[in-house]
Amino acid sequence: MSSRRARARRCMIGCSAAQNDEKSQQVIIDLLNEVLATKLICVMRYKAHYFSSHGFTAPGDEIKLADTECKEHVAEEQRHVERIAERIAELGGIADFNPPILAQRGYSDYTCTASQLDLLQEDLIGERIAIDIYREMIRFVAGRDKETRDLLADLMSHDQQHAERLEARIQSLRPEPVRRAVA
């Protein structure tokens, strides 16, 4: 993951030095394809987590709530994928949905573990990485492309909200610390 991030940084720095509008637009398209790959990986990971969560034990309403939230988040991520692909097309690029390329381009990893807590923690890590990457991309596109900047800012806002919900869910699943009675 760090090599992918370093590649994106080099691309943005190289473009900053050149200040060529055509090259800048292609860099933005490339960066958006990296965001697209990240979101597609997230959609697949969240879908896998949704289906695997049925095996976790939790009080009845709690598991239904978690399933509903997970399904809603998958749908939200899918809408993000479509918005990103539309923006790439508007810029004259081609949205890259090529499965073998996704893992190379995306900033998120596809993971599926055996416990609900581990799944949520992996999702939180993915959200935090995406937020950090969006922040860098927003700085890069700020003076070059207002529409892309606004799109990335909106995606980052949604991911920040989701990260907050994940943090709350993780805290609710952690066992209470055992308190010792004072003698």
Side-chain angles (χ1 to χ4, degrees):
M1 201 277 306
S2 61
S3 64
R4 288 176 266 179
R5 187 173 178 177
R7 185 186 71 236
R9 271 200 176 123
R10 280 193 306 274
C11 188
M12 287 186 279
I13 290 168
C15 182
S16 294
Q19 290 298 324
N20 177 326
D21 285 344
E22 190 174 306
K23 182 177 180 181
S24 178
Q25 185 162 329
Q26 185 58 51
V27 170
I28 292 169
I29 291 167
D30 292 344
L31 292 172
L32 285 171
N33 266 312
E34 290 177 4
V35 173
L36 179 67
T38 301
K39 288 294 185 180
L40 286 166
I41 292 167
C42 288
V43 166
M44 290 184 291
R45 186 178 70 235
Y46 292 139
K47 280 187 178 191
H49 291 184
Y50 167 75
F51 288 108
S52 67
S53 71
H54 294 295
F56 297 131
T57 57
D61 289 339
E62 188 69 20
I63 195 71
K64 289 177 190 171
L65 175 63
D67 281 354
T68 301
E69 286 177 359
C70 194
K71 255 185 150 173
E72 288 172 0
H73 193 67
V74 167
E76 181 180 54
E77 291 293 324
Q78 185 60 47
R79 286 189 299 272
H80 292 172
V81 163
E82 292 167 11
R83 289 179 62 200
I84 295 161
E86 286 173 7
R87 184 65 190 140
I88 291 169
E90 289 168 0
L91 291 170
I94 297 173
D96 191 350
F97 288 87
N98 186 351
I101 301 299
L102 296 180
Q104 296 170 12
R105 277 197 165 166
Y107 297 114
S108 188
D109 293 320
Y110 180 90
T111 55
C112 206
T113 64
S115 82
Q116 187 177 28
L117 186 58
D118 288 343
L119 290 177
L120 293 171
Q121 288 172 331
E122 286 299 320
D123 290 345
L124 181 58
I125 289 167
E127 293 291 354
R128 288 181 174 159
I129 290 168
I131 291 164
D132 192 38
I133 297 291
Y134 293 152
R135 201 170 279 123
E136 290 181 40
M137 289 181 178
I138 289 167
R139 279 194 293 267
F140 173 75
V141 301
R144 293 174 174 81
D145 183 346
K146 181 187 177 325
E147 283 185 59
T148 299
R149 184 203 66 210
D150 292 347
L151 170 63
L152 292 170
D154 188 51
L155 296 175
M156 186 172 76
S157 173
H158 283 276
D159 284 359
Q160 285 171 329
Q161 291 170 11
H162 187 237
E164 290 168 8
R165 289 191 306 268
L166 285 168
E167 287 174 344
R169 168 80 56 209
I170 289 167
Q171 290 304 317
S172 74
L173 290 174
R174 286 201 172 120
E176 291 290 321
V178 177
R179 297 176 195 245
R180 293 186 177 175
V182 178

